[in-house]
Structure formats: C-alpha cells, structure tokens
Amino acid sequence: MNASTHLASTGASGADAGAPLPLIAVTMGDGAGIGPEVVVPALLDPDTLRRCRPVVIGDAERLRQAARLRDISCEVVTVATPGEAVFTPGRINVIDLGLLPADLPWGTLSPVAGDAAYQYVRTAAELAMNGEVQGICTAPLNKEALHAGGHVYPGHTELLARLTGVEEVSMMLATPTVKVIHVTTHIGLIDAVRKIEPGLVERTVRRGHEAMVRAGTPEPVIGVCGINPHAGENGLFGYGEEEEKIVPALEVLRADGIDARGPLPADTAFFLAGRGDYDLIVAMYHDQGHGPVKVLGLEAGVNLTVGLPVIRTSVDHGTAFDIAGTGTADAGSMIEALRQAAEMSPTPAR
C-alpha cells in the first residue's frame, strides 16, 4: 500500500523515461538553523538528481558556509532563473537573494533570518505561479523568527496558502510507515473542536484522497479518527461530536465512492495504519496526528501541503538551533522531501 515506492524514478507521476525532470524550488529556510546544512547534502545526493532538477532559493554564501561545516566539496553557482540552471554532479544552483550577513550566528533567533526565510518562500511561490518550477520543497523556518521579521503566519502552510491565493489547504505528514492529513492544525485544542464541522472534514478527506491518487494509490483506504477517546464509544465520552461533526461527512464521501472509514479511535487507528490496513489517516487536530507520526518515522518524515496550485513538501522537523552550525544535522528527511516533491509534481513541457 505504500504509495511512495510506487512511482518511477523519473520524478514525475506517470512520466516516461524520456520526460524532462520537474524543476523544484528548494527554499533554504531559516539561515540560522539547520536548513542550509541539510539542503547541501540533499541536493548533492545522486538520487535527487535522478528524480528532479532542484534550484535553491536562498543565500549562496550561507550554503558555502554549510558545505564547509560538513566538509563537503561542491560548487555553489548563482543563477538568475531556474531555466539558467545546469545540473551536474557536485553543483548546487541557487537564486541568491543575498539577505543574510556573512557573520550571522548559527543557532540564534534572528529577525533578519526570519525575514529572509519569508522572502525565500515568497520567491518560490512566484516562480511556481509563473510556471517556472513545478514544485516547492522547503527547509524549516522558525516561527518566532518569522514573526520577529514582520511576517505573522502560523507556519509554511498558511503562508503558502496566502501567497498562492488559496483559502483552504491541508497539512499532510508522510513517513514510510504511515501518512496522515489534518482537519485542523495550528490552533488551540478547544478552538480545533469548535472549528471541526462536516464540511471541513469532507473537504479534508477529499484533498487527501486526491493526493493519494496522484501519488500512485488509485483507490486509497482512508481511516478517519474521532475526536473523543474511543471515538466517543457510542456517546460514553463527549457530547456526540462524532455523530454531529464527522459521520455526516463520511456518509457523503462514501456515497461518492471514497473509501473513508470511521470515526476510529485514534489510539488504535495509527497502529492499524502502520500494519497496512489504511493508506491514509485523517487526524482531527494537530497533536492527534503529529504525535504518532513523530514516533513512527520522524527522521524520514515529510510534510506536504495539499490543496495548493503547486505541490509543496517539507521536512518534518524544525530549525534545531541547538545543533545548528555543528555540521551534524541528518539530511534524510530533506532527501525524502525532495523525492516526494519530484514524484508528485507534474512533468514540465518539453
């Protein structure tokens, strides 16, 4: 059932061996965090270049500093547009915004770095909307630094929705073990329960279904979590939230041929997904989905924004200020994020 292994290594879903690889804009993230340190090895990974054509949106000098930290020999080349990039082993192409001071400290919250991280994402969104790239892959930004830099968004998901003119998107987390899409994300738990309603549940499941089909699972089995412990256990817990907020959506979805099952007790849904019973789990709120995913596959976890006009993937970890600048950050999640961006992005015109 694992869709991530289904697609061809050409990088585009359904692409033939001779099709051009998708161009992926890779945002550098917060330059004071581990973003530059995971971007460099991820872009040099041979599998990355077999699947896509990645172009970094960031600061060239910071990437060079990160390469030196990791004792990696490579050529960081500045390009004006993705179309100018040349893809050869050992070369990293970067659209250099030149926003960071050369002496920016590693591992320290910086409004300058927060603003720069926003500008990288804004530039990538513009390139995507103009058709110059087919996908976006983001290194982590720091929300506090983002806010200090004058850009008050809860995270990448909401920021990209605003930049691309989309009113509603969903966050999906993918690991080799389980995939989960969230009905609500960065809001308090009480507010999340209030926000959940049948229309939102239905739209979230539909976005997840579409993403799974696009990624190579034509008839995904989708498990939908309840809100209360034991999914309410027939009214024993809660005040009938499952019957009011979730069941009506499931009835509509199943009538349309979508295999959405539930409401399921969340404490067993992820175990069942891990053994292969479900292709996708629908979590009702942030920690209901994030907790199990981070236990089951943090290092290989990928964050996808579903519902944008362009595919966007990201690592499922933060800026890790505690280890930034040490050259020890694991690039595995960044490599996986690039792989999934390549697999889910359309084939560009020849």
Side-chain angles (χ1 to χ4, degrees):
M1 284 188 175
N2 191 341
S4 63
T5 59
H6 179 80
L7 300 175
S9 62
T10 54
S13 178
D16 62 78
L21 298 174
L23 279 160
I24 306 296
V26 183
T27 60
M28 198 180 76
D30 190 304
I34 63 171
E37 296 178 64
V38 298
V39 165
V40 168
L43 265 67
L44 296 174
D45 187 273
D47 284 342
T48 296
L49 291 179
R50 282 195 287 267
R51 294 186 172 103
C52 65
R53 294 177 290 162
V55 178
V56 181
I57 316 299
D59 273 57
E61 182 53 35
R62 198 60 164 180
L63 293 171
R64 296 185 184 106
Q65 292 176 8
R68 289 194 291 270
L69 281 172
R70 302 200 68 135
D71 197 24
I72 293 175
S73 177
C74 64
E75 184 182 16
V76 177
V77 181
T78 299
V79 296
T81 68
E84 292 181 10
V86 176
F87 299 92
T88 56
R91 171 175 167 141
I92 294 175
N93 297 283
V94 55
I95 295 177
D96 183 15
L97 299 193
L99 298 173
L100 301 179
D103 60 351
L104 178 74
W106 295 95
T108 301
L109 189 142
S110 164
V112 174
D115 174 63
Y118 169 84
Q119 302 301 338
Y120 305 152
V121 176
R122 179 189 58 78
T123 302
E126 289 178 357
L127 292 170
M129 296 299 284
N130 291 336
E132 296 182 66
V133 297
Q134 285 75 54
I136 297 172
C137 182
T138 59
L141 52 73
N142 182 281
K143 295 180 181 67
E144 188 176 353
L146 181 71
H147 295 177
H151 310 287
V152 183
Y153 295 91
H156 269 121
T157 303
E158 297 82 2
L159 172 55
L160 280 162
R162 176 68 179 271
L163 290 170
T164 57
V166 175
E167 292 187 4
E168 188 176 274
V169 295
S170 297
M171 176 189 294
M172 179 185 288
L173 301 180
T175 75
T177 308
V178 65
K179 292 179 174 61
V180 55
I181 191 169
H182 293 70
V183 175
T184 66
T185 52
H186 296 117
I187 56 176
L189 183 55
I190 293 174
D191 294 330
V193 174
R194 289 173 179 157
K195 184 176 180 179
I196 296 165
E197 50 86 20
L200 179 58
V201 173
E202 179 189 343
R203 294 190 299 274
T204 302
V205 175
R206 288 188 189 277
R207 281 190 286 268
H209 180 270
E210 180 183 356
M212 295 300 295
V213 170
R214 185 175 183 178
T217 303
E219 297 180 351
V221 179
I222 301 173
V224 181
C225 291
I227 297 172
N228 294 294
H230 302 280
E233 200 163 306
N234 298 318
L236 184 60
F237 304 112
Y239 300 92
E241 288 88 353
E242 282 75 20
E243 290 296 323
E244 174 192 348
K245 297 171 176 286
I246 300 173
V247 171
L250 296 181
E251 292 173 348
V252 172
L253 291 162
R254 286 194 286 261
D256 285 349
I258 294 176
D259 191 353
R261 306 178 185 181
L264 304 173
D267 59 351
T268 58
F270 288 90
F271 166 76
L272 296 174
R275 76 179 188 184
D277 291 15
Y278 298 103
D279 297 296
L280 176 68
I281 292 293
V282 179
M284 291 295 126
Y285 52 90
H286 184 281
D287 286 11
Q288 189 182 59
H290 275 63
V293 166
K294 290 187 176 184
V295 170
L296 293 171
L298 175 61
E299 291 185 356
V302 174
N303 185 326
L304 296 87
T305 304
V306 180
L308 294 171
V310 61
I311 186 64
R312 174 260 173 172
T313 67
S314 180
V315 295
D316 186 31
H317 59 69
T319 47
F321 280 169
D322 57 326
I323 63 169
T326 66
T328 60
D330 189 333
S333 184
M334 194 74 201
I335 293 170
E336 179 67 10
L338 276 163
R339 184 181 70 79
Q340 293 210 28
E343 289 184 346
M344 298 185 73
S345 296
T347 303
R350 293 178 185 273

